[in-house]
């Protein structure tokens, strides 16, 4: 049974949350994430969602270090307004590094590739528990050693889920983690919602490890030609 703390009014919740949170860690389409004074991360939603608190997969359902599933859910009159999860810091995929500094110098790509393969094992684990990954793109964090999926409220139980489906979502998220960095550096890419710009074309056909080595070579060591990337379709 999920751990749910309900507040009668928004004012009560706001008073509570201001005592719990510290600096902002980041923000996304659903709200902002803060470092909690208790060592947890607090995600505060900026609008009412259709999440059903009792149906959200939390740490009471599954224990895995690779996904920051919610721990405690906070509701106002039964509607989800915030939740806690484990805090991930630093996040080397954050805009502070990749966008504002416009560099990948801080990333050890050997370690990142190792983390990717380790993450695949965790994906296999949650798949075996019949959990379908959802909305992992732009919600994949990297602390320098491990990859962690966050904002998991939209994950759901699915008896028919396959490992191939979940791995495809992981692979997509790995590549999307560098999307804005590559956009800043004028690569070629076609994105279904952000539009077509001069970024890597046919991204879905690029092998993840090849893609990471390409980024490492061209933007860390400045010596890799565009032809370095091998597309999956050419290997079939």
């Amino acid at each position: 049974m999920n751990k749910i703390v309900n507040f009668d009014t928004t004012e009560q919740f706001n008073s509570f949350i201001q005592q719990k949170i510290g600096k902002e860690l980041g923000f996304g389409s659903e709200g902002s994430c803060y470092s909690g004074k208790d060592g947890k991360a607090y995600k505060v939603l900026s609008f009412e969602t259709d999440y059903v608190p009792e149906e959200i997969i939390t740490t009471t359902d599954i224990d895995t270090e690779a996904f920051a599933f919610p721990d405690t859910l906070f509701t106002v009159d039964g509607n989800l307004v915030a939740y806690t999860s484990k805090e991930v810091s630093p996040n080397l995929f954050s805009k502070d590094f990749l966008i504002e500094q416009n560099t990948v110098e801080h990333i050890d790509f050997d370690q990142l590739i190792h983390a990717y393969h380790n993450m695949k094992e965790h994906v296999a684990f949650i798949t075996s528990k019949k959990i379908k990954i959802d909305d992992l793109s732009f919600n994949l964090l990297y602390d320098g050693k491990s990859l962690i999926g966050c904002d998991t409220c939209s994950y759901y139980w699915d008896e028919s889920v396959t490992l191939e489906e979940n791995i495809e979502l992981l692979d997509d998220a790995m590549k999307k983690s560098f999307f804005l960095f590559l956009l800043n550096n004028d690569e070629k890419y076609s994105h279904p919602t952000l539009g077509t710009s001069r970024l890597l074309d046919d991204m879905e056909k690029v092998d993840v490890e090849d893609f990471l080595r390409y980024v490492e070579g061209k933007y860390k060591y400045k010596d890799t030609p565009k032809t370095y990337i091998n597309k999956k379709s050419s290997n079939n």
Side-chain angles (χ1 to χ4, degrees):
M1 184 174 181
N2 288 345
K3 183 178 179 181
I4 301 174
V5 178
N6 187 61
F7 296 86
D8 293 328
T9 67
T10 300
E11 290 73 21
Q12 288 178 347
F13 167 73
N14 288 339
S15 177
F16 164 81
I17 201 68
Q18 290 305 317
Q19 299 177 44
K20 292 292 185 180
I21 61 176
K23 70 175 182 178
E24 185 179 72
L25 298 174
F27 62 90
S29 60
E30 291 185 337
S32 298
C33 187
Y34 299 88
S35 177
K37 297 175 183 178
D38 55 2
K40 294 279 189 177
Y42 282 73
K43 179 65 176 283
V44 180
L45 304 181
S46 57
F47 58 89
E48 186 173 322
T49 68
D50 58 0
Y51 295 132
V52 179
E54 293 78 11
E55 296 179 358
I56 294 173
I57 298 173
T58 71
T59 54
T60 62
D61 299 303
I62 190 165
D63 181 22
T64 171
E65 62 186 26
F67 290 90
F69 285 105
D71 179 16
T72 301
L73 306 174
F74 301 101
T75 62
V76 173
D77 194 26
N79 295 311
L80 184 70
V81 292
Y83 59 85
T84 62
S85 64
K86 70 177 179 179
E87 181 177 332
V88 179
S89 183
N91 173 25
L92 302 189
F93 286 165
S94 73
K95 67 174 184 177
D96 293 340
F97 289 102
L98 290 179
I99 307 306
E100 293 182 5
Q101 297 182 33
N102 194 35
T103 182
V104 294
E105 294 290 337
H106 59 291
I107 294 178
D108 180 333
F109 282 83
D110 288 338
Q111 180 60 42
L112 178 55
I113 290 171
H114 175 76
Y116 162 69
H117 288 293
N118 186 56
M119 185 65 163
K120 290 173 72 173
E121 296 181 8
H122 289 280
V123 170
F125 171 68
I126 70 169
T127 303
S128 72
K129 301 299 181 180
K130 304 304 180 182
I131 294 176
K132 180 69 166 66
I133 293 174
D134 185 61
D135 194 26
L136 185 57
S137 294
F138 303 109
N139 289 318
L140 187 63
L141 312 179
Y142 178 55
D143 65 6
K145 294 182 180 180
S146 303
L147 290 163
I148 302 97
C150 69
D151 289 354
T152 64
C153 284
S154 59
Y155 290 26
Y156 57 94
W157 305 105
D158 183 354
E159 288 295 326
S160 63
V161 66
T162 67
L163 180 58
E164 181 181 11
E165 290 173 331
N166 277 344
I167 290 294
E168 284 181 359
L169 292 169
L170 169 62
D171 288 356
D172 180 69
M174 283 294 297
K175 299 163 191 173
K176 298 288 176 57
S177 296
F178 291 90
F179 172 76
L180 293 177
F181 171 79
L182 293 175
L183 180 64
N184 283 348
N185 288 278
D186 205 33
E187 286 287 352
K188 291 184 177 181
Y189 183 85
S190 295
H191 191 278
T193 58
L194 297 179
T196 300
S197 60
R198 288 172 295 181
L199 285 179
L200 293 167
D201 292 323
D202 301 321
M203 181 73 85
E204 72 279 359
K205 298 179 181 179
V206 179
D207 178 80
V208 170
E209 191 165 338
D210 283 348
F211 168 75
L212 293 175
R213 290 302 185 193
Y214 169 81
V215 174
E216 176 190 38
K218 184 171 182 180
Y219 295 105
K220 189 169 184 177
Y221 299 117
K222 319 294 184 184
D223 62 358
T224 299
K226 287 181 180 290
T227 54
Y228 182 88
I229 287 186
N230 295 314
K231 293 184 178 179
K232 289 181 180 179
S233 58
S234 67
N235 294 328
N236 293 336

